[in-house]
Amino acid sequence: MTTTCYRKRPVEVDTVQWTGDNEAELVEFTGHRFEAIPAAARAENPDVTAQVYDELHDTWVGVKTGQHIVRGVKGEFYPIAEDVLAETYERVEPGPAATEATDARTTTRVFAALHRAAEQDVTRVIDLYERWVKAGPPPIGTPMSRWWDKRLVELHDAILPPKTQLRTPDELRERAETDDITIHPAACTCTYGARCPNCRA
């Protein structure tokens, strides 16, 4: 017979001890998977004063007063006696170094997300600027206030894009009809579509 030796990986788990009168705390800790058993319902096993639902095994597990409720590595909950807990685990006190490292990681993630969002905004504005340069000045006879208003709307949409982007030519035509804009495809070869000052009357 050949045996293989394994060592259990070091894991950290969270626990809350069932004292008999902290049901609300354990209900919150387990996400409503814990309930105390009334004294009248404990006739068969009077030592079991509560129960916790173990999703991993899809069953309710009896809990005795003084036992700890452990949240396992897969999010499951199970009871463990205090002496077994002391033999199996050692208490971890969060030190300042661990807290600082966690804060640093969180800050890094936040700044990375902000950087990505800002980079996307800048890319959209640069693309808009290049389209403006390609389109050239407003057509003769176009009121400047109307032309600038359209540019400001385009700039606003580039910085804060609308939730639904117009993509198909039919959608562009519908937008032009609702905005009373006439599209002249042969007048300009830009990519503005309905929003181009050279493609409308």
Side-chain angles (χ1 to χ4, degrees), residues 56-187:
L56 194 62
H57 300 98
D58 193 24
T59 184
W60 286 92
V61 181
V63 182
K64 298 177 181 178
T65 304
Q67 286 186 320
H68 288 257
I69 304 301
V70 178
R71 179 168 47 215
V73 294
K74 294 187 178 180
E76 76 279 12
F77 294 95
Y78 57 90
I80 186 171
E82 191 165 12
D83 56 341
V84 177
L85 180 70
E87 291 174 7
T88 313
Y89 298 94
E90 61 182 3
R91 189 168 183 151
V92 176
E93 298 292 341
T99 305
E100 289 171 11
T102 304
D103 291 345
R105 284 193 298 272
T106 303
T107 304
T108 302
R109 283 196 300 272
V110 169
F111 276 120
L114 289 173
H115 175 72
R116 281 192 299 274
E119 191 174 21
Q120 291 169 356
D121 290 345
V122 170
T123 301
R124 286 193 301 268
V125 171
I126 290 172
D127 291 343
L128 178 62
Y129 167 75
E130 290 172 353
R131 288 194 306 237
W132 284 351
V133 170
K134 185 178 179 182
I140 295 174
T142 303
M144 287 300 290
S145 61
R146 181 176 175 213
W147 189 81
W148 275 113
D149 286 347
K150 298 295 181 183
R151 300 297 76 73
L152 290 173
V153 168
E154 290 173 355
L155 182 60
H156 177 270
D157 289 348
I159 295 172
L160 298 171
K163 291 180 182 176
T164 56
Q165 297 285 344
L166 296 175
R167 298 185 184 276
T168 65
D170 293 336
E171 289 175 329
L172 291 173
R173 246 180 261 303
E174 288 174 11
R175 169 78 182 269
E177 290 169 4
T178 57
D179 289 353
D180 294 321
I181 298 169
T182 305
I183 300 175
H184 301 287

Side-chain angles (χ1 to χ4, degrees), residues 18-23 26 34-39 41-42 45-52 61-67 69:
W18 167 235
T19 60
D21 58 1
N22 60 338
E23 182 180 6
L26 279 158
F34 181 91
E35 60 182 24
I37 299 174
R42 292 187 230 149
N45 196 345
D47 292 339
V48 176
T49 56
Q51 59 183 0
V52 64
V61 181
V63 182
K64 298 177 181 178
T65 304
Q67 286 186 320
I69 304 301

